[in-house]
mmCIF file with all atom_site columns, all heavy atoms in Angstrom:
data_model
loop_
_atom_site.group_PDB
_atom_site.id
_atom_site.type_symbol
_atom_site.label_atom_id
_atom_site.label_alt_id
_atom_site.label_comp_id
_atom_site.label_asym_id
_atom_site.label_entity_id
_atom_site.label_seq_id
_atom_site.pdbx_PDB_ins_code
_atom_site.Cartn_x
_atom_site.Cartn_y
_atom_site.Cartn_z
_atom_site.occupancy
_atom_site.B_iso_or_equiv
_atom_site.pdbx_formal_charge
_atom_site.auth_seq_id
_atom_site.auth_comp_id
_atom_site.auth_asym_id
_atom_site.auth_atom_id
_atom_site.pdbx_PDB_model_num
ATOM 1  N N   . ALA B 1 95  ? 0.031   26.060 1.775  1.00 98.00 ? 95  ALA B N   1
ATOM 2  C CA  . ALA B 1 95  ? -0.206  26.335 0.348  1.00 98.00 ? 95  ALA B CA  1
ATOM 3  C C   . ALA B 1 95  ? -1.608  25.970 -0.077 1.00 98.00 ? 95  ALA B C   1
ATOM 4  O O   . ALA B 1 95  ? -2.283  26.754 -0.746 1.00 98.00 ? 95  ALA B O   1
ATOM 5  C CB  . ALA B 1 95  ? 0.811   25.560 -0.514 1.00 98.00 ? 95  ALA B CB  1
ATOM 6  N N   . ILE B 1 96  ? -2.065  24.843 0.422  1.00 98.00 ? 96  ILE B N   1
ATOM 7  C CA  . ILE B 1 96  ? -3.453  24.402 0.047  1.00 98.00 ? 96  ILE B CA  1
ATOM 8  C C   . ILE B 1 96  ? -4.503  25.319 0.705  1.00 98.00 ? 96  ILE B C   1
ATOM 9  O O   . ILE B 1 96  ? -5.507  25.631 0.122  1.00 98.00 ? 96  ILE B O   1
ATOM 10 C CB  . ILE B 1 96  ? -3.672  22.896 0.384  1.00 98.00 ? 96  ILE B CB  1
ATOM 11 C CG1 . ILE B 1 96  ? -2.787  22.075 -0.503 1.00 98.00 ? 96  ILE B CG1 1
ATOM 12 C CG2 . ILE B 1 96  ? -5.110  22.525 0.274  1.00 98.00 ? 96  ILE B CG2 1
ATOM 13 C CD1 . ILE B 1 96  ? -2.692  20.606 -0.101 1.00 98.00 ? 96  ILE B CD1 1
ATOM 14 N N   . ILE B 1 97  ? -4.228  25.760 1.909  1.00 98.00 ? 97  ILE B N   1
ATOM 15 C CA  . ILE B 1 97  ? -5.137  26.719 2.570  1.00 98.00 ? 97  ILE B CA  1
ATOM 16 C C   . ILE B 1 97  ? -5.192  28.028 1.731  1.00 98.00 ? 97  ILE B C   1
ATOM 17 O O   . ILE B 1 97  ? -6.275  28.563 1.527  1.00 98.00 ? 97  ILE B O   1
ATOM 18 C CB  . ILE B 1 97  ? -4.716  26.987 4.006  1.00 98.00 ? 97  ILE B CB  1
ATOM 19 C CG1 . ILE B 1 97  ? -4.967  25.757 4.885  1.00 98.00 ? 97  ILE B CG1 1
ATOM 20 C CG2 . ILE B 1 97  ? -5.376  28.243 4.592  1.00 98.00 ? 97  ILE B CG2 1
ATOM 21 C CD1 . ILE B 1 97  ? -4.388  25.843 6.282  1.00 98.00 ? 97  ILE B CD1 1
ATOM 22 N N   . LEU B 1 98  ? -4.073  28.523 1.314  1.00 98.00 ? 98  LEU B N   1
ATOM 23 C CA  . LEU B 1 98  ? -4.044  29.760 0.497  1.00 98.00 ? 98  LEU B CA  1
ATOM 24 C C   . LEU B 1 98  ? -4.809  29.584 -0.788 1.00 98.00 ? 98  LEU B C   1
ATOM 25 O O   . LEU B 1 98  ? -5.568  30.458 -1.173 1.00 98.00 ? 98  LEU B O   1
ATOM 26 C CB  . LEU B 1 98  ? -2.601  30.180 0.232  1.00 98.00 ? 98  LEU B CB  1
ATOM 27 C CG  . LEU B 1 98  ? -1.814  30.708 1.422  1.00 98.00 ? 98  LEU B CG  1
ATOM 28 C CD1 . LEU B 1 98  ? -0.381  30.921 1.091  1.00 98.00 ? 98  LEU B CD1 1
ATOM 29 C CD2 . LEU B 1 98  ? -2.456  31.988 1.934  1.00 98.00 ? 98  LEU B CD2 1
ATOM 30 N N   . ILE B 1 99  ? -4.620  28.425 -1.472 1.00 98.00 ? 99  ILE B N   1
ATOM 31 C CA  . ILE B 1 99  ? -5.345  28.197 -2.703 1.00 98.00 ? 99  ILE B CA  1
ATOM 32 C C   . ILE B 1 99  ? -6.849  28.107 -2.462 1.00 98.00 ? 99  ILE B C   1
ATOM 33 O O   . ILE B 1 99  ? -7.642  28.650 -3.218 1.00 98.00 ? 99  ILE B O   1
ATOM 34 C CB  . ILE B 1 99  ? -4.781  26.896 -3.371 1.00 98.00 ? 99  ILE B CB  1
ATOM 35 C CG1 . ILE B 1 99  ? -3.373  27.163 -3.941 1.00 98.00 ? 99  ILE B CG1 1
ATOM 36 C CG2 . ILE B 1 99  ? -5.726  26.393 -4.456 1.00 98.00 ? 99  ILE B CG2 1
ATOM 37 C CD1 . ILE B 1 99  ? -2.617  25.953 -4.416 1.00 98.00 ? 99  ILE B CD1 1
ATOM 38 N N   . THR B 1 100 ? -7.208  27.444 -1.358 1.00 98.00 ? 100 THR B N   1
ATOM 39 C CA  . THR B 1 100 ? -8.619  27.338 -1.017 1.00 98.00 ? 100 THR B CA  1
ATOM 40 C C   . THR B 1 100 ? -9.253  28.702 -0.708 1.00 98.00 ? 100 THR B C   1
ATOM 41 O O   . THR B 1 100 ? -10.345 29.016 -1.192 1.00 98.00 ? 100 THR B O   1
ATOM 42 C CB  . THR B 1 100 ? -8.803  26.363 0.189  1.00 98.00 ? 100 THR B CB  1
ATOM 43 O OG1 . THR B 1 100 ? -8.220  25.081 -0.126 1.00 98.00 ? 100 THR B OG1 1
ATOM 44 C CG2 . THR B 1 100 ? -10.262 26.193 0.552  1.00 98.00 ? 100 THR B CG2 1
ATOM 45 N N   . ILE B 1 101 ? -8.506  29.499 0.065  1.00 98.00 ? 101 ILE B N   1
ATOM 46 C CA  . ILE B 1 101 ? -8.986  30.869 0.344  1.00 98.00 ? 101 ILE B CA  1
ATOM 47 C C   . ILE B 1 101 ? -9.134  31.659 -0.941 1.00 98.00 ? 101 ILE B C   1
ATOM 48 O O   . ILE B 1 101 ? -10.098 32.370 -1.124 1.00 98.00 ? 101 ILE B O   1
ATOM 49 C CB  . ILE B 1 101 ? -8.107  31.553 1.383  1.00 98.00 ? 101 ILE B CB  1
ATOM 50 C CG1 . ILE B 1 101 ? -8.212  30.876 2.740  1.00 98.00 ? 101 ILE B CG1 1
ATOM 51 C CG2 . ILE B 1 101 ? -8.413  33.029 1.467  1.00 98.00 ? 101 ILE B CG2 1
ATOM 52 C CD1 . ILE B 1 101 ? -7.212  31.364 3.765  1.00 98.00 ? 101 ILE B CD1 1
ATOM 53 N N   . GLY B 1 102 ? -8.139  31.519 -1.811 1.00 97.00 ? 102 GLY B N   1
ATOM 54 C CA  . GLY B 1 102 ? -8.161  32.259 -3.089 1.00 97.00 ? 102 GLY B CA  1
ATOM 55 C C   . GLY B 1 102 ? -9.418  31.916 -3.918 1.00 97.00 ? 102 GLY B C   1
ATOM 56 O O   . GLY B 1 102 ? -10.124 32.807 -4.422 1.00 97.00 ? 102 GLY B O   1
ATOM 57 N N   . PHE B 1 103 ? -9.692  30.627 -4.043 1.00 97.00 ? 103 PHE B N   1
ATOM 58 C CA  . PHE B 1 103 ? -10.864 30.220 -4.777 1.00 97.00 ? 103 PHE B CA  1
ATOM 59 C C   . PHE B 1 103 ? -12.144 30.648 -4.100 1.00 97.00 ? 103 PHE B C   1
ATOM 60 O O   . PHE B 1 103 ? -13.070 31.169 -4.756 1.00 97.00 ? 103 PHE B O   1
ATOM 61 C CB  . PHE B 1 103 ? -10.870 28.692 -4.976 1.00 97.00 ? 103 PHE B CB  1
ATOM 62 C CG  . PHE B 1 103 ? -12.033 28.186 -5.794 1.00 97.00 ? 103 PHE B CG  1
ATOM 63 C CD1 . PHE B 1 103 ? -11.967 28.247 -7.189 1.00 97.00 ? 103 PHE B CD1 1
ATOM 64 C CD2 . PHE B 1 103 ? -13.189 27.717 -5.215 1.00 97.00 ? 103 PHE B CD2 1
ATOM 65 C CE1 . PHE B 1 103 ? -13.043 27.800 -7.925 1.00 97.00 ? 103 PHE B CE1 1
ATOM 66 C CE2 . PHE B 1 103 ? -14.240 27.288 -5.946 1.00 97.00 ? 103 PHE B CE2 1
ATOM 67 C CZ  . PHE B 1 103 ? -14.186 27.339 -7.338 1.00 97.00 ? 103 PHE B CZ  1
ATOM 68 N N   . SER B 1 104 ? -12.248 30.400 -2.830 1.00 97.00 ? 104 SER B N   1
ATOM 69 C CA  . SER B 1 104 ? -13.476 30.748 -2.076 1.00 97.00 ? 104 SER B CA  1
ATOM 70 C C   . SER B 1 104 ? -13.815 32.223 -2.059 1.00 97.00 ? 104 SER B C   1
ATOM 71 O O   . SER B 1 104 ? -14.956 32.607 -2.222 1.00 97.00 ? 104 SER B O   1
ATOM 72 C CB  . SER B 1 104 ? -13.368 30.220 -0.660 1.00 97.00 ? 104 SER B CB  1
ATOM 73 O OG  . SER B 1 104 ? -13.216 28.825 -0.631 1.00 97.00 ? 104 SER B OG  1
ATOM 74 N N   . THR B 1 105 ? -12.821 33.049 -1.873 1.00 97.00 ? 105 THR B N   1
ATOM 75 C CA  . THR B 1 105 ? -13.067 34.479 -1.789 1.00 97.00 ? 105 THR B CA  1
ATOM 76 C C   . THR B 1 105 ? -13.295 35.042 -3.219 1.00 97.00 ? 105 THR B C   1
ATOM 77 O O   . THR B 1 105 ? -14.071 35.997 -3.381 1.00 97.00 ? 105 THR B O   1
ATOM 78 C CB  . THR B 1 105 ? -11.986 35.224 -1.122 1.00 97.00 ? 105 THR B CB  1
ATOM 79 O OG1 . THR B 1 105 ? -10.698 34.947 -1.751 1.00 97.00 ? 105 THR B OG1 1
ATOM 80 C CG2 . THR B 1 105 ? -11.872 34.858 0.341  1.00 97.00 ? 105 THR B CG2 1
ATOM 81 N N   . ALA B 1 106 ? -12.643 34.499 -4.210 1.00 96.00 ? 106 ALA B N   1
ATOM 82 C CA  . ALA B 1 106 ? -12.814 34.982 -5.620 1.00 96.00 ? 106 ALA B CA  1
ATOM 83 C C   . ALA B 1 106 ? -14.221 34.745 -6.076 1.00 96.00 ? 106 ALA B C   1
ATOM 84 O O   . ALA B 1 106 ? -14.811 35.575 -6.769 1.00 96.00 ? 106 ALA B O   1
ATOM 85 C CB  . ALA B 1 106 ? -11.811 34.313 -6.516 1.00 96.00 ? 106 ALA B CB  1
ATOM 86 N N   . LYS B 1 107 ? -14.830 33.613 -5.718 1.00 93.00 ? 107 LYS B N   1
ATOM 87 C CA  . LYS B 1 107 ? -16.160 33.350 -6.239 1.00 93.00 ? 107 LYS B CA  1
ATOM 88 C C   . LYS B 1 107 ? -17.207 34.230 -5.604 1.00 93.00 ? 107 LYS B C   1
ATOM 89 O O   . LYS B 1 107 ? -18.306 34.391 -6.169 1.00 93.00 ? 107 LYS B O   1
ATOM 90 C CB  . LYS B 1 107 ? -16.532 31.857 -6.056 1.00 93.00 ? 107 LYS B CB  1
ATOM 91 C CG  . LYS B 1 107 ? -16.830 31.407 -4.660 1.00 93.00 ? 107 LYS B CG  1
ATOM 92 C CD  . LYS B 1 107 ? -17.196 29.945 -4.639 1.00 93.00 ? 107 LYS B CD  1
ATOM 93 C CE  . LYS B 1 107 ? -17.495 29.471 -3.247 1.00 93.00 ? 107 LYS B CE  1
ATOM 94 N NZ  . LYS B 1 107 ? -17.857 28.039 -3.233 1.00 93.00 ? 107 LYS B NZ  1
#
Side-chain angles (χ1 to χ4, degrees):
I96 293 169
I97 288 170
L98 290 172
I99 288 170
T100 304
I101 291 170
F103 181 82
S104 298
T105 57
K107 74 179 180 180

